[in-house]
Amino acid sequence: MKIYQGKVVLFLHAFPLNSQMYRYQFEALENEGIPYVAVDYPGFGCTQNFPSDYTIETLTDIILYQLGNQGVKKVIPVGDSMGGYIMFDMWRRYPELIDGMVFVSTRAEADTEEAKKARYATIDRIQKEGKDFLIEFMLDAQTSPATKNDPKKMELLKCIMNQATEEGIIKALKALAERPDNTGLLPSINVPAVVIAGEDDEKVTPPDIVRKIAEGIPDSQFITLKNSAHLPPFENPQDFNKILIDFIKRVWK
């Protein structure tokens, strides 16, 4: 369910998932009467592939065009991983739209040359073998021991990831590899922010990496969530939802 009003929470998903990674937040916000919009990037979830390669900036413009058509004037974006990169670009180019920010399991730094090479190597392998190996790798890398011990949750997560097309995955990997460094942007963020890391995220965005975002933003709070790795909204929705709803009510009091 998506509720459209002039002021909404905007959910931006991680790679290689889609907006359904926030399914537990949708229910919680509906119970509170808080309006939200959730988007799928091209080639993920319900959105068709983009006709050409694209950048993070392209994604931002696509999303904001959709929001404009729905009459949205203000947002509190919630971005996990890749979603956080879109949030940085939103702040760089459209800060007037943002009332507060929720960064989740993401980083401000651009890819190192080594990381870029790894992404392009992954693209080559997908083109030869398909996406299955990547899905299996992500299922392991992005989840905590508690999540791995929950077969229903792992199966649901796999289903969400498998909705991504190979073309969509490849184009997203290129956009991720070529994204800019956002560390210099942090001091300019003058809206309230909460920065959340999964306590068990050892392979993708360890808490010490995520913490650097909070250290750079003047009005920010850093929180680690137990029983979570790279996907706290999905892995520990009870604790995540409390933090999220408290933050929204503080910003939109």
Side-chain angles (χ1 to χ4, degrees):
M1 180 177 180
K2 299 170 185 172
I3 306 169
Y4 304 124
Q5 294 186 13
K7 187 181 288 188
V8 301
V9 176
L10 172 63
F11 288 105
L12 302 166
H13 64 80
F15 170 90
L17 293 91
N18 59 54
S19 58
Q20 282 302 305
M21 68 165 284
Y22 293 112
R23 60 196 295 130
Y24 305 116
Q25 285 68 58
F26 301 163
E27 181 180 0
L29 266 60
E30 287 164 18
N31 289 339
E32 293 285 338
I34 299 172
Y36 67 88
V37 171
V39 299
D40 293 334
Y41 312 146
F44 296 84
C46 297
T47 303
Q48 293 182 343
N49 289 305
F50 200 67
S52 63
D53 289 345
Y54 60 80
T55 64
I56 294 296
E57 291 80 5
T58 308
L59 288 181
T60 300
D61 291 336
I62 291 170
I63 292 165
L64 295 189
Y65 177 78
Q66 295 171 349
L67 293 180
N69 284 343
Q70 295 158 9
V72 173
K73 305 295 184 184
K74 289 284 188 178
V75 298
I76 294 177
V78 180
D80 192 314
S81 191
M82 185 174 178
Y85 308 148
I86 296 171
M87 287 171 59
F88 281 125
D89 184 55
M90 287 178 65
W91 181 258
R92 179 183 289 107
R93 297 191 291 138
Y94 306 100
E96 69 281 358
L97 297 175
I98 299 175
D99 279 344
M101 308 179 86
V102 182
F103 292 97
V104 187
S105 300
T106 190
R107 66 179 72 213
E109 298 84 0
D111 270 3
T112 62
E113 286 304 314
E114 182 180 1
K116 281 186 181 182
K117 289 178 181 178
R119 290 197 197 274
Y120 282 102
T122 300
I123 289 172
D124 289 342
R125 187 174 172 188
I126 292 170
Q127 290 171 332
K128 295 173 183 175
E129 302 177 22
K131 67 181 181 181
D132 289 353
F133 79 93
L134 177 67
I135 301 301
E136 292 302 322
F137 173 80
M138 288 296 189
L139 282 169
D140 177 67
Q142 294 188 344
T143 53
S144 66
T147 304
K148 288 181 174 68
N149 286 329
D150 186 333
K152 289 184 178 179
K153 193 167 274 191
M154 288 297 288
E155 184 60 31
L156 176 56
L157 191 59
K158 186 173 184 177
C159 288
I160 293 172
M161 290 186 179
N162 270 320
Q163 290 176 33
T165 65
E166 290 175 6
E167 180 182 344
I169 290 172
I170 288 170
K171 290 177 178 177
L173 283 168
K174 291 178 181 178
L176 291 169
E178 303 303 328
R179 74 184 191 278
D181 186 278
N182 294 299
T183 52
L185 196 65
L186 296 175
S188 75
I189 298 177
N190 58 4
V191 296
V194 62
V195 182
I196 301 171
E199 190 176 277
D200 301 317
D201 193 348
E202 298 177 352
K203 298 179 179 179
V204 188
T205 49
D208 285 347
I209 295 293
V210 184
R211 186 192 304 270
K212 293 178 182 179
I213 297 174
E215 291 173 345
I217 298 175
D219 182 12
S220 65
Q221 179 185 14
F222 177 70
I223 301 170
T224 57
L225 280 192
K226 63 181 181 180
N227 297 326
S228 302
H230 195 56
L231 307 170
F234 183 87
E235 297 184 86
N236 185 351
Q238 183 174 357
D239 289 345
F240 185 89
N241 290 349
K242 184 179 187 309
I243 294 166
L244 176 62
I245 291 169
D246 287 349
F247 178 75
I248 294 167
K249 289 181 176 180
R250 175 164 69 89
V251 173
W252 283 340
K253 56 188 174 183

